[in-house]
Amino acid sequence: MYKLTTFVNTLKKSLTRPGYYSDILFAPFSFSLKYLFALLFFIALIRGIVFSIAFIPTVPKVPGYIEESKQIIKNLYPLGLTVTIKDGSLRTNVDEPYYIPFPARFNIKDMSLVAIDTKASVDSFKKYNTAFLLTKNALAYPDSDTKGSYKVYPFSDVKGFVIINREAYDRVVNIIIPYFKYYPLAIAAIFAFLLLAVPIFGSLFSLSGALLYLAVLTLVTHLISKFMKLGLTYSQVFRLGIHGLTFSLLFSMLKSLMGIIIPYTYTAPFIIWMIIIFTQLKKSHEASLSPSKSVK
């Protein structure tokens, strides 16, 4: 509770009291670093809570989604289709090219889920406008790393004799379907992870980004402090900037949650606030910068 109170007080002072920044100069650097991490943690936590609240209306629909998913999986493989792979070569028992459409639930009508054409080459992948193309010797599928490209899995890597038909497919589905009852538990686990782990790891990632960005901005604010003849070092200006980022970080969070875009509301407010701080420091008596003062 004490640490939370200290954080809240530091946040309020960093956000509203330029005179408070003279105390920061004599605080350990670790104090400011912990404050920034705590601020980023609570921002990430608030984002997670808002996301969770937005998802709550879909919770009652989960059982329906599970049943619908079961039916989609059960009926995905066409009746009468048999695919065999032997010695790296694929054959079918249907007229080709043969197309398996996306389930109607996905409402994708201009693209097929699977296209089978043993006379085609994987080089023709884009022409078939499909998610997966089965040729005589290989499977072609989209490359998730490079947009518009595709990867190839050669059937020569398939060992032995493989036969895929509706009967074999149903056997696999009957093994998978019982695990769908754990779907609600998995959702709960995901939300627990989002609310607990993501703020921690997310704030660590954001911390490195904020410090890097601040290192660049401090080049500007340090020049301003030199122009104002404050005699501050780069390190001191950097430490003041850690607290000076408070408004920019909070406002960026609000913009994101509200879904609005306002340019220059991160850097400009920060620089303006730092100028206000420098002005206050310049007006302060030398005694206010005495090492005997401590952060409260």
Side-chain angles (χ1 to χ4, degrees), residues 98-171:
Y98 183 87
Y99 296 94
I100 301 176
F102 277 94
R105 176 67 175 81
F106 296 101
N107 197 29
I108 301 176
K109 299 179 180 180
D110 57 347
M111 184 180 186
S112 65
L113 176 61
V114 180
I116 306 175
D117 192 347
T118 54
K119 295 183 178 61
S121 165
V122 291
D123 296 333
S124 305
F125 176 71
K126 293 183 180 179
K127 184 185 76 173
Y128 282 81
N129 195 28
T130 185
F132 301 93
L133 173 63
L134 292 169
T135 67
K136 182 177 181 180
N137 305 114
L139 163 68
Y141 57 96
D143 184 353
S144 58
D145 298 327
T146 306
K147 187 176 180 179
S149 185
Y150 61 91
K151 291 184 178 181
V152 176
Y153 177 79
F155 293 139
S156 57
D157 291 345
V158 178
K159 306 302 180 183
F161 178 74
V162 177
I163 180 168
I164 305 172
N165 53 25
R166 183 59 183 261
E167 183 180 356
Y169 179 81
D170 286 343
R171 285 199 297 268

Side-chain angles (χ1 to χ4, degrees), residues 209-226:
L211 291 176
L212 180 61
Y213 189 73
L214 181 60
V216 176
L217 282 180
T218 302
L219 295 174
V220 177
T221 52
H222 187 221
L223 286 175
I224 295 173
S225 71
K226 282 184 172 296

Side-chain angles (χ1 to χ4, degrees), residues 10 12 26 32-33 46 51 72 90 124 139 205 228 233 241 268:
T10 304
K12 290 192 295 185
F26 301 99
S32 298
L33 195 61
I46 290 171
F51 173 78
I72 289 175
L90 180 145
S124 305
L139 163 68
F205 178 78
M228 298 178 68
T233 65

